[in-house]
C-alpha cells in the first residue's frame, strides 16, 4: 500500500486530498522513516509515484494514460539499469583485461593479421593485433618475460624499464589499445600507423644495460 492510500485510510472515508497529504506528511515524520536506507527511500518514493498515477486515472481515459506513463517509466528504468550494468562490465574489463585473448601466435602472425585487418579498414582490430605483435616480439626477444593476463599498461611499464627511450610511446600505445578495446573509442588509420611505427622502432631497439629487472 502506498503512503497516499494509507493516509486516506487513516484520515477516514470523508477526508479530502489535502487531509490525506497532511496524514502522509505526519506518517513520514515517524522514526522508522528517518532511519531507512537510501534504497528503501528510493523504492518507497517510486511506489508512491506509481500509486499517485493510478489514483489520478479515475476515468477510463485517465486510467489508460496512467498505465502508459507507468510503462514508460519502467522502460526508462530498465534502460538505465542495462546501461549501468554494461558500464560496470566495461570498467571491470578495462581494469583486468589481458593483451592476448586467444591461443599462442607469433609476432609475425599478429603482424600479418593486423595488416589484413588494416586493409579491410577495421582499424580497431588492426590496432589490437599490432600491439599484440609488439608484446609477442618483446617476449620472443626475451626483453619481457611472458606473463598470462598481463594488461597493455603493465606491458608498457615493464617494457619501458627495459627500453626507456620508448617508455612514453609504449604507454601512449597502451592507452590507445585500452581505448579501442574497452572504451568503445573507434580506431583510426592514424592511430594504427602510429602503432605500426612504434612496432618497427622497437624491433630495432636494444635493451638498456642500466634497466632494472
Amino acid at each position: 500500500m502506498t503512503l497516499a492510500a494509507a493516509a486516506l485510510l487513516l484520515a477516514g472515508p470523508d477526508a479530502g486530498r489535502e487531509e490525506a497529504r497532511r496524514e502522509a506528511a505526519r506518517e513520514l515524520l515517524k522514526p522508522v522513516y528517518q532511519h531507512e536506507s537510501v534504497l528503501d527511500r528510493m523504492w518507497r518514493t517510486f511506489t508512491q509515484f506509481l500509486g499517485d498515477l493510478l489514483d489520478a486515472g479515475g476515468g477510463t481515459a485517465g486510467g489508460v494514460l496512467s498505465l502508459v506513463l507507468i510503462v514508460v517509466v519502467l522502460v526508462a528504468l530498465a534502460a538505465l539499469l542495462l546501461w549501468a550494468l554494461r558500464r560496470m562490465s566495461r570498467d571491470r574489463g578495462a581494469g583486468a583485461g589481458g593483451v592476448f585473448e586467444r591461443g599462442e601466435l607469433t609476432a609475425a602472425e599478429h603482424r600479418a593479421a593486423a595488416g589484413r585487418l588494416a586493409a579491410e579498414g577495421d582499424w580497431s582490430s588492426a590496432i589490437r593485433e599490432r600491439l599484440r605483435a609488439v608484446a609477442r616480439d618483446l617476449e620472443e626477444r626475451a626483453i619481457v618475460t611472458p606473463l598470462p593476463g598481463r594488461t597493455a599498461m603493465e606491458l608498457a611499464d615493464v617494457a619501458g624499464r627495459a627500453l626507456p627511450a620508448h617508455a612514453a610511446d609504449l604507454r601512449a600505445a597502451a592507452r590507445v589499445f585500452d581505448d579501442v578495446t574497452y572504451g568503445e573509442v573507434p580506431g583510426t588509420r592514424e592511430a594504427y600507423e602510429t602503432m605500426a611505427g612504434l612496432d618497427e622502432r622497437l624491433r630495432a631497439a636494444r635493451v638498456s644495460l642500466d634497466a632494472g629487472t
Side-chain angles (χ1 to χ4, degrees), residues 100 104 135-136 138-140 142-150:
F100 300 106
E104 293 287 329
R136 189 66 76 204
L138 293 173
E139 291 177 355
E140 290 172 353
I143 294 176
V144 300
T145 302
L147 179 65
R150 175 183 278 142

Side-chain angles (χ1 to χ4, degrees), residues 81-107:
L81 178 61
L82 179 61
W83 175 84
L85 290 174
R86 290 182 61 187
R87 180 66 179 268
M88 291 171 61
S89 177
R90 187 169 63 246
D91 290 343
R92 285 195 298 269
V99 172
F100 300 106
E101 62 179 11
R102 55 186 177 183
E104 293 287 329
L105 294 178
T106 66

Side-chain angles (χ1 to χ4, degrees), residues 108-151:
E109 289 171 331
H110 281 298
R111 286 192 191 95
R116 288 193 300 270
L117 292 165
E120 296 169 1
D122 187 352
W123 301 113
S124 295
S125 299
I127 287 169
R128 285 190 286 268
E129 285 301 314
R130 197 67 188 224
L131 185 72
R132 288 168 183 147
V134 169
R136 189 66 76 204
D137 183 77
L138 293 173
E139 291 177 355
E140 290 172 353
R141 295 163 58 197
I143 294 176
V144 300
T145 302
L147 179 65
R150 175 183 278 142
T151 67

Side-chain angles (χ1 to χ4, degrees), residues 15-178:
R17 185 171 294 275
E18 286 301 319
E19 180 62 24
R21 292 187 185 280
R22 286 195 293 271
E23 289 292 341
R26 285 194 289 270
E27 178 75 10
L28 289 174
L29 292 176
K30 293 182 178 180
V32 64
Y33 294 110
Q34 301 302 316
H35 300 287
E36 66 181 340
S37 67
V38 175
L39 289 177
D40 289 339
R41 186 179 303 120
M42 292 174 61
W43 176 250
R44 174 171 54 77
T45 302
F46 176 66
T47 54
Q48 181 179 354
F49 171 71
L50 294 182
D52 291 342
L53 282 179
L54 291 174
D55 292 341
T60 302
V64 172
L65 179 60
S66 298
L67 181 59
V68 170
L69 289 175
I70 290 173
V71 171
V72 170
V73 170
L74 291 176
V75 170
L77 288 175
L80 181 61
L81 178 61
L82 179 61
W83 175 84
L85 290 174
R86 290 182 61 187
R87 180 66 179 268
M88 291 171 61
S89 177
R90 187 169 63 246
D91 290 343
R92 285 195 298 269
V99 172
F100 300 106
E101 62 179 11
R102 55 186 177 183
E104 293 287 329
L105 294 178
T106 66
E109 289 171 331
H110 281 298
R111 286 192 191 95
R116 288 193 300 270
L117 292 165
E120 296 169 1
D122 187 352
W123 301 113
S124 295
S125 299
I127 287 169
R128 285 190 286 268
E129 285 301 314
R130 197 67 188 224
L131 185 72
R132 288 168 183 147
V134 169
R136 189 66 76 204
D137 183 77
L138 293 173
E139 291 177 355
E140 290 172 353
R141 295 163 58 197
I143 294 176
V144 300
T145 302
L147 179 65
R150 175 183 278 142
T151 67
M153 198 56 69
E154 289 170 346
L155 171 71
D157 289 340
V158 174
R161 289 195 292 271
L163 302 167
H166 303 280
D169 290 339
L170 282 162
R171 291 188 64 84
R175 282 192 293 270
V176 171
F177 177 90
D178 286 343

